[in-house]
Amino acid sequence: MPVSQVAAPRTEVSSPVVCEHDVLDHPSRSAMNTIWQRWAAPRPQAAEAAALVLLTAITLSGVVVTWALRFRPPLWPALALSVLACGALHWRRTRPLLVVAITLSCTVAQGALGYLLTPLLMGPLLTAQYSLSVHNPRRTSWNSALVVAFAMVVTGLFDTRLHRSPVLSIVNPTAWVLLCAALGSYVRVRREYAATRAEHAAREREEEARHRVFQERMRIARELHDVVAHHLTLADAQAATAAHLARTHPGQALDIIGMLPQTTSAALRELKATVGLLRQDTETSDDLAPAPGLQDLPDLVDACATAGLAVTVTVDGQASRLPPVLDLTAYRIIQEALTNVSKHAATPTARVRLAYTPRYLTLTITNDTGPSRPATSTARPGGFGLISMRERATAVGGTFHAGHRPHGGFEVTCALPLDSHDDSPDESPPT
C-alpha cells in the first residue's frame, strides 16, 4: 500500500432489504428467462401490467376449462370475479391483507357457484398469499394462510357434488394455499439471511481494512524510526566526539567532522530506499536503491566506528542467502541494537554474533560493563527501540529477548526462522 494511500476506507453498508425485482411475486418467477429480465428491469410498470394481463388470461382460462368439464355453472359471474381478483393484485404490496381478503372472497364465491377450485382458477389467491408471506412477518403470514386454508375446507364441504372426491374439493386447494405460504416464508427467510450475511461481510471487510491500515502504519513507523533514529544517533555521537576531541586532538576532530556529510548522505539514501520499499507493491522505479540487508553489515560497522563504537562481528555456521523480508529484518534489528548501544552503553564496544542453523538464524548483540566512556551523546534512555525489534521479530515468526546480563552489560537475542529451509528436520528455536 502506498504511503499516500494510508487512510481508513469507508465501507457503505447497504439496506438489509435484498432487491429482487420480481413480477407479481409469483412462485414461478425464478423460471423467468434472461430476455424477459432485461426487458422488465428498466420498465417495472409495464412489466407489472403485462404480468397482470397474463395472470388474468390464465385465470380466465381456468374458469372456462372448469365450466366446460363440470355441470355448466354460471360463466359470466365467475369471469367477473376472476377479473376483480386479478385487478386487486395491483395493491398486494401496500395492502396485502386486504388483497388476500378480496381474492379469497372471489375464490370462495366461485366455489359456491359450483366451480372446482383448481390451481389455475385460484391463481390470484395463491399469488396474493405468496406475496403476503414474502413481505410480512411470519406470524401474519401463517395466520393468513390458516384462515385461507379453513375457508377452502368450508367451501369444499359445501360442494355436495364432490363429496365423493374430498381430495379434489378439499385437500387439493388447501394444500396449494399452504404450499404458497410455505414457499413465500422460505423466500423471506432466505432474503433476510442473505441480508444478514451481506451486512456481516461488510463489517468484516471494514474491520479487515482497518486492521491492514493499522499494520501498514506500524510498518511505516518501524522503518522510519530505525532509519532516522540510527543515523541521527550516529551524527549526534560523531558531533559530540568531535567536540570532545577538539582541544586535545584537533586533527581527529576534523576527521570526524569530515565524516558527518557521509552519515547524513547515508541517512537520505536509506530513507529513499525505505520509501521505495513501502511503495513497491504498487509502484516500481529503477532509481530506487535496494532495501538494506546483511550484506551492508560492514558499512554499518564502519559507521559505528566513526561514532566511537567498536563493533566485532562473528559468524557461526554456513551463511545462506535470506529472503528479502528476513534479510531486512535481521539488518534492522542489528542496526537498532547497535544504535541503543551507542546511546546508552557505558563501554564503546559491542559484539554481534550471527549463528546459522538449518532452520534458524540467531542474532546476538551484547555489550559489557566497564569504565564509562566520555559523554558523546545527549540522547537520553527511553524510546521504542526494543518494541520495534520485538515487532519485527514476531512479524516473521521469530522470537526475541532483551535484558541485562548476569555479570553486567546488556544482551539482545533474536531467532529468525529460515523459511527457505522448511523441508529440513524439525528444530526448536534457539533460546
Side-chain angles (χ1 to χ4, degrees):
M1 181 186 295
V3 177
S4 60
Q5 295 181 358
V6 178
R10 296 176 59 86
T11 305
E12 297 294 336
V13 180
S14 60
S15 172
V17 178
V18 178
C19 297
E20 295 183 6
H21 298 288
D22 46 358
V23 178
L24 280 182
D25 303 310
H26 198 273
S28 62
R29 78 193 192 289
S30 59
M32 187 185 303
N33 57 49
T34 305
I35 298 177
W36 169 256
Q37 290 177 342
R38 291 178 179 176
W39 180 86
R43 308 175 182 87
Q45 295 182 350
E48 175 81 2
L52 285 176
V53 171
L54 179 61
L55 180 61
T56 302
I58 293 175
T59 305
L60 293 178
S61 66
V63 173
V64 173
V65 170
T66 305
W67 175 81
L69 295 179
R70 295 206 65 190
F71 311 103
R72 304 282 176 157
L75 178 60
W76 292 108
L79 294 177
L81 290 172
S82 296
V83 173
L84 175 62
C86 291
L89 292 175
H90 178 71
W91 294 276
R92 69 190 181 280
R93 292 192 182 93
T94 56
R95 298 181 179 180
L97 291 176
L98 178 61
V99 171
V100 170
I102 293 175
T103 54
L104 176 61
S105 301
C106 294
T107 304
V108 170
Q110 289 173 330
L113 291 175
Y115 284 86
L116 179 64
L117 300 182
T118 63
L120 291 178
L121 189 145
M122 295 173 59
L125 175 60
L126 299 180
T127 301
Q129 180 60 56
Y130 172 81
S131 179
L132 185 145
S133 299
V134 169
H135 299 101
N136 291 272
R138 183 177 65 174
R139 181 183 296 273
T140 303
S141 170
W142 284 107
N143 288 341
S144 170
L146 292 177
V147 171
V148 174
F150 177 77
M152 294 297 100
V153 172
V154 172
T155 303
L157 291 177
F158 278 96
D159 192 347
T160 57
R161 287 169 291 189
L162 283 176
H163 280 175
R164 296 181 181 179
S165 303
V167 173
L168 293 177
S169 60
I170 299 176
V171 177
N172 187 62
T174 304
W176 276 105
V177 170
L178 296 178
L179 178 62
C180 288
L183 183 59
S185 298
Y186 166 75
V187 172
R188 185 193 69 252
V189 171
R190 188 182 65 179
R191 291 182 180 182
E192 293 174 353
Y193 175 70
T196 302
R197 287 193 59 184
E199 290 184 352
H200 180 69
R203 286 194 296 268
E204 284 190 341
R205 287 194 299 269
E206 185 173 356
E207 291 298 326
E208 179 65 20
R210 290 177 179 175
H211 179 70
R212 290 179 180 177
V213 169
F214 175 76
Q215 293 296 328
E216 184 68 12
R217 287 174 176 172
M218 292 299 296
R219 187 162 70 102
I220 294 172
R222 285 196 299 268
E223 292 295 332
L224 295 180
H225 171 270
D226 291 347
V227 172
V228 175
H230 171 71
H231 289 286
L232 287 182
T233 299
L234 287 183
D236 181 57
Q238 289 173 347
T241 302
H244 177 75
L245 298 175
R247 294 182 179 180
T248 58
H249 301 82
Q252 295 182 11
L254 291 176
D255 292 338
I256 294 176
I257 293 175
M259 296 177 183
L260 279 175
Q262 298 179 5
T263 303
T264 56
S265 298
L268 293 176
R269 286 196 303 270
E270 278 207 42
L271 189 60
K272 184 177 181 181
T274 301
V275 174
L277 176 65
L278 295 174
R279 301 177 57 144
Q280 67 181 358
D281 291 339
T282 55
E283 298 181 11
T284 58
S285 178
D286 296 336
D287 60 348
L288 291 177
L294 293 181
Q295 71 276 3
D296 300 311
L297 194 55
D299 296 335
L300 177 62
V301 172
D302 294 340
C304 292
T306 62
L309 179 63
V311 181
T312 303
V313 179
T314 59
V315 179
D316 296 337
Q318 185 177 0
S320 59
R321 184 177 181 85
L322 302 180
V325 174
L326 194 62
D327 198 20
L328 175 63
T329 299
Y331 178 83
R332 290 301 190 201
I333 290 176
I334 295 175
Q335 182 188 58
E336 181 61 28
L338 293 179
T339 300
N340 289 343
V341 172
S342 178
K343 290 164 59 177
H344 310 307
T347 57
T349 59
R351 295 189 300 275
V352 177
R353 177 176 175 267
L354 289 79
Y356 289 88
T357 63
R359 288 181 58 86
Y360 288 93
L361 167 62
T362 304
L363 308 175
T364 306
I365 302 95
T366 59
N367 68 281
D368 299 322
T369 57
S372 300
R373 54 176 169 163
T376 60
S377 176
T378 59
R380 291 178 294 178
F384 299 95
L386 295 180
I387 297 176
S388 176
M389 288 187 283
R390 187 181 302 276
E391 288 178 349
R392 285 186 179 277
T394 55
V396 296
T399 59
F400 178 84
H401 175 75
H404 294 280
R405 304 173 66 193
H407 302 290
F410 200 83
E411 180 178 81
V412 171
T413 304
C414 176
L416 305 177
L418 303 178
D419 295 338
S420 59
H421 294 78
D422 286 341
D423 296 333
S424 303
D426 291 341
E427 179 183 348
S428 299
T431 57

